[in-house]
PDB file of all heavy atoms in Angstrom:
ATOM      1  N   TRP A   2      -8.852   6.831  -8.422  1.00 95.00           N
ATOM      2  CA  TRP A   2      -9.690   5.871  -7.713  1.00 95.00           C
ATOM      3  C   TRP A   2      -9.683   6.209  -6.272  1.00 95.00           C
ATOM      4  O   TRP A   2      -8.657   6.296  -5.644  1.00 95.00           O
ATOM      5  CB  TRP A   2      -9.151   4.448  -7.908  1.00 95.00           C
ATOM      6  CG  TRP A   2      -9.371   3.839  -9.265  1.00 95.00           C
ATOM      7  CD1 TRP A   2      -9.379   4.466 -10.459  1.00 95.00           C
ATOM      8  CD2 TRP A   2      -9.560   2.452  -9.537  1.00 95.00           C
ATOM      9  NE1 TRP A   2      -9.573   3.555 -11.454  1.00 95.00           N
ATOM     10  CE2 TRP A   2      -9.679   2.334 -10.913  1.00 95.00           C
ATOM     11  CE3 TRP A   2      -9.605   1.329  -8.723  1.00 95.00           C
ATOM     12  CZ2 TRP A   2      -9.846   1.063 -11.529  1.00 95.00           C
ATOM     13  CZ3 TRP A   2      -9.805   0.093  -9.325  1.00 95.00           C
ATOM     14  CH2 TRP A   2      -9.950  -0.029 -10.703  1.00 95.00           C
ATOM     15  N   LEU A   4     -11.076   4.599  -2.812  1.00 95.00           N
ATOM     16  CA  LEU A   4     -11.636   3.379  -2.306  1.00 95.00           C
ATOM     17  C   LEU A   4     -11.621   3.380  -0.773  1.00 95.00           C
ATOM     18  O   LEU A   4     -10.604   3.659  -0.157  1.00 95.00           O
ATOM     19  CB  LEU A   4     -10.788   2.162  -2.813  1.00 95.00           C
ATOM     20  CG  LEU A   4     -10.654   2.066  -4.317  1.00 95.00           C
ATOM     21  CD1 LEU A   4      -9.640   0.977  -4.638  1.00 95.00           C
ATOM     22  CD2 LEU A   4     -11.989   1.784  -4.976  1.00 95.00           C
ATOM     23  N   PRO A   7     -12.118  -1.407   0.520  1.00 95.00           N
ATOM     24  CA  PRO A   7     -12.603  -2.184  -0.615  1.00 95.00           C
ATOM     25  C   PRO A   7     -12.591  -3.696  -0.391  1.00 95.00           C
ATOM     26  O   PRO A   7     -13.223  -4.430  -1.158  1.00 95.00           O
ATOM     27  CB  PRO A   7     -11.605  -1.817  -1.736  1.00 95.00           C
ATOM     28  CG  PRO A   7     -10.350  -1.447  -1.010  1.00 95.00           C
ATOM     29  CD  PRO A   7     -10.854  -0.738   0.229  1.00 95.00           C
ATOM     30  N   HIS A   8     -11.919  -4.189   0.653  1.00 94.00           N
ATOM     31  CA  HIS A   8     -11.863  -5.622   0.887  1.00 94.00           C
ATOM     32  C   HIS A   8     -12.909  -6.053   1.888  1.00 94.00           C
ATOM     33  O   HIS A   8     -13.078  -7.239   2.179  1.00 94.00           O
ATOM     34  CB  HIS A   8     -10.454  -6.024   1.421  1.00 94.00           C
ATOM     35  CG  HIS A   8      -9.392  -5.704   0.452  1.00 94.00           C
ATOM     36  ND1 HIS A   8      -8.520  -4.645   0.611  1.00 94.00           N
ATOM     37  CD2 HIS A   8      -9.004  -6.317  -0.702  1.00 94.00           C
ATOM     38  CE1 HIS A   8      -7.679  -4.623  -0.384  1.00 94.00           C
ATOM     39  NE2 HIS A   8      -7.966  -5.627  -1.238  1.00 94.00           N
ATOM     40  N   LEU A  11     -15.576  -9.283   1.730  1.00 95.00           N
ATOM     41  CA  LEU A  11     -15.275 -10.080   0.572  1.00 95.00           C
ATOM     42  C   LEU A  11     -14.578 -11.375   0.996  1.00 95.00           C
ATOM     43  O   LEU A  11     -13.828 -11.411   1.953  1.00 95.00           O
ATOM     44  CB  LEU A  11     -14.332  -9.328  -0.376  1.00 95.00           C
ATOM     45  CG  LEU A  11     -14.874  -8.070  -1.018  1.00 95.00           C
ATOM     46  CD1 LEU A  11     -13.811  -7.445  -1.894  1.00 95.00           C
ATOM     47  CD2 LEU A  11     -16.128  -8.311  -1.827  1.00 95.00           C
ATOM     48  N   ASP A  12     -14.830 -12.435   0.255  1.00 96.00           N
ATOM     49  CA  ASP A  12     -14.113 -13.664   0.455  1.00 96.00           C
ATOM     50  C   ASP A  12     -12.740 -13.556  -0.167  1.00 96.00           C
ATOM     51  O   ASP A  12     -12.385 -12.515  -0.799  1.00 96.00           O
ATOM     52  CB  ASP A  12     -14.867 -14.866  -0.070  1.00 96.00           C
ATOM     53  CG  ASP A  12     -15.122 -14.810  -1.577  1.00 96.00           C
ATOM     54  OD1 ASP A  12     -14.603 -13.910  -2.229  1.00 96.00           O
ATOM     55  OD2 ASP A  12     -15.826 -15.709  -2.074  1.00 96.00           O
ATOM     56  N   ARG A  13     -11.932 -14.594  -0.086  1.00 95.00           N
ATOM     57  CA  ARG A  13     -10.585 -14.556  -0.585  1.00 95.00           C
ATOM     58  C   ARG A  13     -10.544 -14.223  -2.099  1.00 95.00           C
ATOM     59  O   ARG A  13      -9.759 -13.415  -2.544  1.00 95.00           O
ATOM     60  CB  ARG A  13      -9.885 -15.871  -0.304  1.00 95.00           C
ATOM     61  CG  ARG A  13      -8.436 -15.908  -0.783  1.00 95.00           C
ATOM     62  CD  ARG A  13      -7.803 -17.239  -0.525  1.00 95.00           C
ATOM     63  NE  ARG A  13      -6.454 -17.227  -0.997  1.00 95.00           N
ATOM     64  CZ  ARG A  13      -5.511 -17.948  -0.517  1.00 95.00           C
ATOM     65  NH1 ARG A  13      -5.742 -18.769   0.484  1.00 95.00           N
ATOM     66  NH2 ARG A  13      -4.298 -17.897  -1.017  1.00 95.00           N
ATOM     67  N   ALA A  14     -11.376 -14.865  -2.862  1.00 97.00           N
ATOM     68  CA  ALA A  14     -11.419 -14.643  -4.281  1.00 97.00           C
ATOM     69  C   ALA A  14     -11.819 -13.181  -4.622  1.00 97.00           C
ATOM     70  O   ALA A  14     -11.206 -12.575  -5.529  1.00 97.00           O
ATOM     71  CB  ALA A  14     -12.405 -15.581  -4.963  1.00 97.00           C
ATOM     72  N   GLY A  15     -12.763 -12.642  -3.844  1.00 96.00           N
ATOM     73  CA  GLY A  15     -13.115 -11.244  -4.048  1.00 96.00           C
ATOM     74  C   GLY A  15     -11.975 -10.279  -3.724  1.00 96.00           C
ATOM     75  O   GLY A  15     -11.755  -9.295  -4.449  1.00 96.00           O
ATOM     76  N   ARG A  16     -11.272 -10.554  -2.631  1.00 94.00           N
ATOM     77  CA  ARG A  16     -10.144  -9.702  -2.244  1.00 94.00           C
ATOM     78  C   ARG A  16      -9.060  -9.742  -3.338  1.00 94.00           C
ATOM     79  O   ARG A  16      -8.460  -8.718  -3.685  1.00 94.00           O
ATOM     80  CB  ARG A  16      -9.584 -10.123  -0.893  1.00 94.00           C
ATOM     81  CG  ARG A  16     -10.484  -9.772   0.280  1.00 94.00           C
ATOM     82  CD  ARG A  16      -9.818  -9.989   1.600  1.00 94.00           C
ATOM     83  NE  ARG A  16      -9.353 -11.356   1.799  1.00 94.00           N
ATOM     84  CZ  ARG A  16     -10.075 -12.366   2.354  1.00 94.00           C
ATOM     85  NH1 ARG A  16     -11.304 -12.089   2.764  1.00 94.00           N
ATOM     86  NH2 ARG A  16      -9.573 -13.539   2.524  1.00 94.00           N
ATOM     87  N   GLU A  17      -8.784 -10.977  -3.836  1.00 95.00           N
ATOM     88  CA  GLU A  17      -7.760 -11.080  -4.880  1.00 95.00           C
ATOM     89  C   GLU A  17      -8.179 -10.374  -6.159  1.00 95.00           C
ATOM     90  O   GLU A  17      -7.340  -9.766  -6.819  1.00 95.00           O
ATOM     91  CB  GLU A  17      -7.474 -12.569  -5.152  1.00 95.00           C
ATOM     92  CG  GLU A  17      -6.719 -13.208  -3.997  1.00 95.00           C
ATOM     93  CD  GLU A  17      -6.557 -14.689  -4.125  1.00 95.00           C
ATOM     94  OE1 GLU A  17      -7.057 -15.309  -5.135  1.00 95.00           O
ATOM     95  OE2 GLU A  17      -5.919 -15.295  -3.223  1.00 95.00           O
ATOM     96  N   LEU A  18      -9.479 -10.398  -6.487  1.00 97.00           N
ATOM     97  CA  LEU A  18      -9.966  -9.675  -7.670  1.00 97.00           C
ATOM     98  C   LEU A  18      -9.786  -8.171  -7.474  1.00 97.00           C
ATOM     99  O   LEU A  18      -9.321  -7.481  -8.386  1.00 97.00           O
ATOM    100  CB  LEU A  18     -11.440 -10.028  -7.917  1.00 97.00           C
ATOM    101  CG  LEU A  18     -12.090  -9.268  -9.086  1.00 97.00           C
ATOM    102  CD1 LEU A  18     -11.386  -9.527 -10.414  1.00 97.00           C
ATOM    103  CD2 LEU A  18     -13.566  -9.616  -9.174  1.00 97.00           C
ATOM    104  N   VAL A  19     -10.173  -7.675  -6.312  1.00 95.00           N
ATOM    105  CA  VAL A  19     -10.025  -6.262  -6.023  1.00 95.00           C
ATOM    106  C   VAL A  19      -8.546  -5.868  -6.129  1.00 95.00           C
ATOM    107  O   VAL A  19      -8.208  -4.832  -6.736  1.00 95.00           O
ATOM    108  CB  VAL A  19     -10.630  -5.901  -4.662  1.00 95.00           C
ATOM    109  CG1 VAL A  19     -10.199  -4.474  -4.223  1.00 95.00           C
ATOM    110  CG2 VAL A  19     -12.135  -5.990  -4.708  1.00 95.00           C
ATOM    111  N   ASP A  20      -7.649  -6.675  -5.517  1.00 95.00           N
ATOM    112  CA  ASP A  20      -6.219  -6.397  -5.594  1.00 95.00           C
ATOM    113  C   ASP A  20      -5.727  -6.308  -7.040  1.00 95.00           C
ATOM    114  O   ASP A  20      -4.978  -5.430  -7.403  1.00 95.00           O
ATOM    115  CB  ASP A  20      -5.426  -7.439  -4.837  1.00 95.00           C
ATOM    116  CG  ASP A  20      -5.606  -7.410  -3.343  1.00 95.00           C
ATOM    117  OD1 ASP A  20      -6.211  -6.432  -2.861  1.00 95.00           O
ATOM    118  OD2 ASP A  20      -5.124  -8.342  -2.663  1.00 95.00           O
ATOM    119  N   SER A  21      -6.193  -7.267  -7.866  1.00 95.00           N
ATOM    120  CA  SER A  21      -5.814  -7.273  -9.271  1.00 95.00           C
ATOM    121  C   SER A  21      -6.270  -5.992 -10.000  1.00 95.00           C
ATOM    122  O   SER A  21      -5.519  -5.388 -10.800  1.00 95.00           O
ATOM    123  CB  SER A  21      -6.395  -8.527  -9.963  1.00 95.00           C
ATOM    124  OG  SER A  21      -6.117  -8.518 -11.330  1.00 95.00           O
ATOM    125  N   LEU A  22      -7.507  -5.590  -9.739  1.00 96.00           N
ATOM    126  CA  LEU A  22      -8.034  -4.384 -10.350  1.00 96.00           C
ATOM    127  C   LEU A  22      -7.242  -3.126  -9.912  1.00 96.00           C
ATOM    128  O   LEU A  22      -6.985  -2.239 -10.736  1.00 96.00           O
ATOM    129  CB  LEU A  22      -9.536  -4.219 -10.018  1.00 96.00           C
ATOM    130  CG  LEU A  22     -10.455  -5.280 -10.641  1.00 96.00           C
ATOM    131  CD1 LEU A  22     -11.856  -5.159 -10.098  1.00 96.00           C
ATOM    132  CD2 LEU A  22     -10.441  -5.180 -12.169  1.00 96.00           C
ATOM    133  N   ILE A  23      -6.913  -3.074  -8.646  1.00 94.00           N
ATOM    134  CA  ILE A  23      -6.105  -1.958  -8.135  1.00 94.00           C
ATOM    135  C   ILE A  23      -4.741  -1.912  -8.817  1.00 94.00           C
ATOM    136  O   ILE A  23      -4.283  -0.852  -9.252  1.00 94.00           O
ATOM    137  CB  ILE A  23      -5.969  -2.008  -6.618  1.00 94.00           C
ATOM    138  CG1 ILE A  23      -7.353  -1.741  -5.951  1.00 94.00           C
ATOM    139  CG2 ILE A  23      -4.932  -1.017  -6.099  1.00 94.00           C
ATOM    140  CD1 ILE A  23      -7.356  -2.060  -4.452  1.00 94.00           C
ATOM    141  N   ARG A  24      -4.089  -3.076  -8.902  1.00 93.00           N
ATOM    142  CA  ARG A  24      -2.786  -3.124  -9.574  1.00 93.00           C
ATOM    143  C   ARG A  24      -2.900  -2.723 -11.041  1.00 93.00           C
ATOM    144  O   ARG A  24      -2.008  -1.993 -11.535  1.00 93.00           O
ATOM    145  CB  ARG A  24      -2.195  -4.510  -9.420  1.00 93.00           C
ATOM    146  CG  ARG A  24      -1.679  -4.806  -8.081  1.00 93.00           C
ATOM    147  CD  ARG A  24      -0.948  -6.171  -8.050  1.00 93.00           C
ATOM    148  NE  ARG A  24      -0.516  -6.502  -6.696  1.00 93.00           N
ATOM    149  CZ  ARG A  24      -1.152  -7.385  -5.938  1.00 93.00           C
ATOM    150  NH1 ARG A  24      -2.214  -8.071  -6.370  1.00 93.00           N
ATOM    151  NH2 ARG A  24      -0.728  -7.640  -4.720  1.00 93.00           N
ATOM    152  N   GLN A  25      -3.910  -3.176 -11.717  1.00 95.00           N
ATOM    153  CA  GLN A  25      -4.090  -2.802 -13.163  1.00 95.00           C
ATOM    154  C   GLN A  25      -4.293  -1.297 -13.317  1.00 95.00           C
ATOM    155  O   GLN A  25      -3.696  -0.694 -14.194  1.00 95.00           O
ATOM    156  CB  GLN A  25      -5.304  -3.564 -13.717  1.00 95.00           C
ATOM    157  CG  GLN A  25      -5.052  -5.021 -13.945  1.00 95.00           C
ATOM    158  CD  GLN A  25      -6.271  -5.731 -14.471  1.00 95.00           C
ATOM    159  OE1 GLN A  25      -7.249  -5.083 -14.974  1.00 95.00           O
ATOM    160  NE2 GLN A  25      -6.328  -7.035 -14.357  1.00 95.00           N
ATOM    161  N   ALA A  26      -5.105  -0.741 -12.444  1.00 94.00           N
ATOM    162  CA  ALA A  26      -5.393   0.725 -12.520  1.00 94.00           C
ATOM    163  C   ALA A  26      -4.109   1.518 -12.241  1.00 94.00           C
ATOM    164  O   ALA A  26      -3.805   2.432 -13.000  1.00 94.00           O
ATOM    165  CB  ALA A  26      -6.471   1.116 -11.537  1.00 94.00           C
ATOM    166  N   ALA A  27      -3.399   1.150 -11.200  1.00 90.00           N
ATOM    167  CA  ALA A  27      -2.140   1.831 -10.864  1.00 90.00           C
ATOM    168  C   ALA A  27      -1.092   1.637 -11.989  1.00 90.00           C
ATOM    169  O   ALA A  27      -0.408   2.585 -12.375  1.00 90.00           O
ATOM    170  CB  ALA A  27      -1.585   1.325  -9.529  1.00 90.00           C
ATOM    171  N   GLY A  28      -1.026   0.447 -12.543  1.00 92.00           N
ATOM    172  CA  GLY A  28      -0.101   0.190 -13.640  1.00 92.00           C
ATOM    173  C   GLY A  28      -0.391   0.975 -14.867  1.00 92.00           C
ATOM    174  O   GLY A  28       0.475   1.294 -15.689  1.00 92.00           O
ATOM    175  N   VAL A  33      -4.470   5.870  -7.001  1.00 90.00           N
ATOM    176  CA  VAL A  33      -5.355   5.077  -6.192  1.00 90.00           C
ATOM    177  C   VAL A  33      -5.191   5.525  -4.710  1.00 90.00           C
ATOM    178  O   VAL A  33      -4.137   5.390  -4.167  1.00 90.00           O
ATOM    179  CB  VAL A  33      -5.085   3.576  -6.306  1.00 90.00           C
ATOM    180  CG1 VAL A  33      -6.058   2.801  -5.411  1.00 90.00           C
ATOM    181  CG2 VAL A  33      -5.199   3.114  -7.748  1.00 90.00           C
ATOM    182  N   LEU A  35      -6.579   4.712  -1.127  1.00 90.00           N
ATOM    183  CA  LEU A  35      -7.221   3.584  -0.502  1.00 90.00           C
ATOM    184  C   LEU A  35      -7.219   3.753   1.020  1.00 90.00           C
ATOM    185  O   LEU A  35      -6.151   3.886   1.622  1.00 90.00           O
ATOM    186  CB  LEU A  35      -6.443   2.322  -0.915  1.00 90.00           C
ATOM    187  CG  LEU A  35      -6.811   0.972  -0.268  1.00 90.00           C
ATOM    188  CD1 LEU A  35      -8.164   0.544  -0.764  1.00 90.00           C
ATOM    189  CD2 LEU A  35      -5.760  -0.075  -0.684  1.00 90.00           C
ATOM    190  N   SER A  37      -8.002   1.865   4.478  1.00 90.00           N
ATOM    191  CA  SER A  37      -8.162   0.511   4.925  1.00 90.00           C
ATOM    192  C   SER A  37      -7.558   0.343   6.277  1.00 90.00           C
ATOM    193  O   SER A  37      -6.581   1.018   6.649  1.00 90.00           O
ATOM    194  CB  SER A  37      -7.542  -0.460   3.927  1.00 90.00           C
ATOM    195  OG  SER A  37      -7.680  -1.805   4.393  1.00 90.00           O
ATOM    196  N   GLU A  39      -6.509  -2.751   6.917  1.00 88.00           N
ATOM    197  CA  GLU A  39      -5.703  -3.898   6.599  1.00 88.00           C
ATOM    198  C   GLU A  39      -4.316  -3.469   6.059  1.00 88.00           C
ATOM    199  O   GLU A  39      -4.046  -3.544   4.864  1.00 88.00           O
ATOM    200  CB  GLU A  39      -6.372  -4.809   5.565  1.00 88.00           C
ATOM    201  CG  GLU A  39      -7.685  -5.404   6.085  1.00 88.00           C
ATOM    202  CD  GLU A  39      -8.321  -6.288   5.049  1.00 88.00           C
ATOM    203  OE1 GLU A  39      -7.689  -7.301   4.694  1.00 88.00           O
ATOM    204  OE2 GLU A  39      -9.420  -5.954   4.605  1.00 88.00           O
ATOM    205  N   ASP A  41      -1.313  -4.674   6.275  1.00 81.00           N
ATOM    206  CA  ASP A  41      -0.475  -5.640   5.629  1.00 81.00           C
ATOM    207  C   ASP A  41      -0.856  -5.833   4.141  1.00 81.00           C
ATOM    208  O   ASP A  41      -0.008  -5.882   3.275  1.00 81.00           O
ATOM    209  CB  ASP A  41      -0.526  -6.978   6.370  1.00 81.00           C
ATOM    210  CG  ASP A  41      -1.947  -7.536   6.551  1.00 81.00           C
ATOM    211  OD1 ASP A  41      -2.896  -6.744   6.459  1.00 81.00           O
ATOM    212  OD2 ASP A  41      -2.069  -8.713   6.785  1.00 81.00           O
ATOM    213  N   ARG A  42      -2.162  -5.865   3.882  1.00 86.00           N
ATOM    214  CA  ARG A  42      -2.655  -6.007   2.495  1.00 86.00           C
ATOM    215  C   ARG A  42      -2.333  -4.772   1.682  1.00 86.00           C
ATOM    216  O   ARG A  42      -1.865  -4.856   0.545  1.00 86.00           O
ATOM    217  CB  ARG A  42      -4.125  -6.355   2.494  1.00 86.00           C
ATOM    218  CG  ARG A  42      -4.663  -6.584   1.107  1.00 86.00           C
ATOM    219  CD  ARG A  42      -6.082  -7.099   1.191  1.00 86.00           C
ATOM    220  NE  ARG A  42      -6.349  -8.131   0.188  1.00 86.00           N
ATOM    221  CZ  ARG A  42      -5.989  -9.412   0.276  1.00 86.00           C
ATOM    222  NH1 ARG A  42      -5.432  -9.876   1.349  1.00 86.00           N
ATOM    223  NH2 ARG A  42      -6.244 -10.253  -0.685  1.00 86.00           N
ATOM    224  N   VAL A  43      -2.567  -3.611   2.244  1.00 84.00           N
ATOM    225  CA  VAL A  43      -2.315  -2.348   1.544  1.00 84.00           C
ATOM    226  C   VAL A  43      -0.827  -2.233   1.186  1.00 84.00           C
ATOM    227  O   VAL A  43      -0.453  -1.792   0.120  1.00 84.00           O
ATOM    228  CB  VAL A  43      -2.790  -1.127   2.365  1.00 84.00           C
ATOM    229  CG1 VAL A  43      -2.352   0.143   1.778  1.00 84.00           C
ATOM    230  CG2 VAL A  43      -4.303  -1.161   2.557  1.00 84.00           C
ATOM    231  N   GLY A  44       0.015  -2.598   2.122  1.00 81.00           N
ATOM    232  CA  GLY A  44       1.462  -2.515   1.902  1.00 81.00           C
ATOM    233  C   GLY A  44       1.931  -3.392   0.777  1.00 81.00           C
ATOM    234  O   GLY A  44       2.952  -3.116   0.133  1.00 81.00           O
ATOM    235  N   LEU A  45       1.216  -4.475   0.498  1.00 85.00           N
ATOM    236  CA  LEU A  45       1.598  -5.359  -0.607  1.00 85.00           C
ATOM    237  C   LEU A  45       1.075  -4.821  -1.937  1.00 85.00           C
ATOM    238  O   LEU A  45       1.615  -5.176  -2.975  1.00 85.00           O
ATOM    239  CB  LEU A  45       1.055  -6.759  -0.370  1.00 85.00           C
ATOM    240  CG  LEU A  45       1.665  -7.441   0.860  1.00 85.00           C
ATOM    241  CD1 LEU A  45       0.944  -8.773   1.072  1.00 85.00           C
ATOM    242  CD2 LEU A  45       3.147  -7.682   0.692  1.00 85.00           C
ATOM    243  N   LEU A  46       0.113  -3.915  -1.910  1.00 86.00           N
ATOM    244  CA  LEU A  46      -0.444  -3.340  -3.130  1.00 86.00           C
ATOM    245  C   LEU A  46       0.355  -2.122  -3.605  1.00 86.00           C
ATOM    246  O   LEU A  46       0.376  -1.818  -4.781  1.00 86.00           O
ATOM    247  CB  LEU A  46      -1.895  -2.907  -2.896  1.00 86.00           C
ATOM    248  CG  LEU A  46      -2.899  -4.026  -2.789  1.00 86.00           C
ATOM    249  CD1 LEU A  46      -4.254  -3.471  -2.360  1.00 86.00           C
ATOM    250  CD2 LEU A  46      -3.029  -4.738  -4.111  1.00 86.00           C
ATOM    251  N   ASN A  47       0.978  -1.406  -2.673  1.00 80.00           N
ATOM    252  CA  ASN A  47       1.606  -0.164  -3.049  1.00 80.00           C
ATOM    253  C   ASN A  47       2.796   0.094  -2.113  1.00 80.00           C
ATOM    254  O   ASN A  47       2.721  -0.155  -0.909  1.00 80.00           O
ATOM    255  CB  ASN A  47       0.605   0.985  -2.874  1.00 80.00           C
ATOM    256  CG  ASN A  47       1.084   2.275  -3.426  1.00 80.00           C
ATOM    257  OD1 ASN A  47       2.275   2.535  -3.563  1.00 80.00           O
ATOM    258  ND2 ASN A  47       0.137   3.103  -3.841  1.00 80.00           N
TER     259      ASN A  47
END
Side-chain angles (χ1 to χ4, degrees):
W2 286 33
L4 305 171
H8 300 105
L11 296 179
D12 63 5
R13 181 180 179 153
R16 288 189 303 269
E17 290 173 359
L18 176 61
V19 168
D20 290 351
S21 176
L22 294 171
I23 291 169
R24 286 188 184 103
Q25 287 177 18
V33 179
L35 173 68
S37 179
E39 297 181 62
D41 55 338
R42 184 171 218 82
V43 172
L45 296 174
L46 288 171
N47 191 333

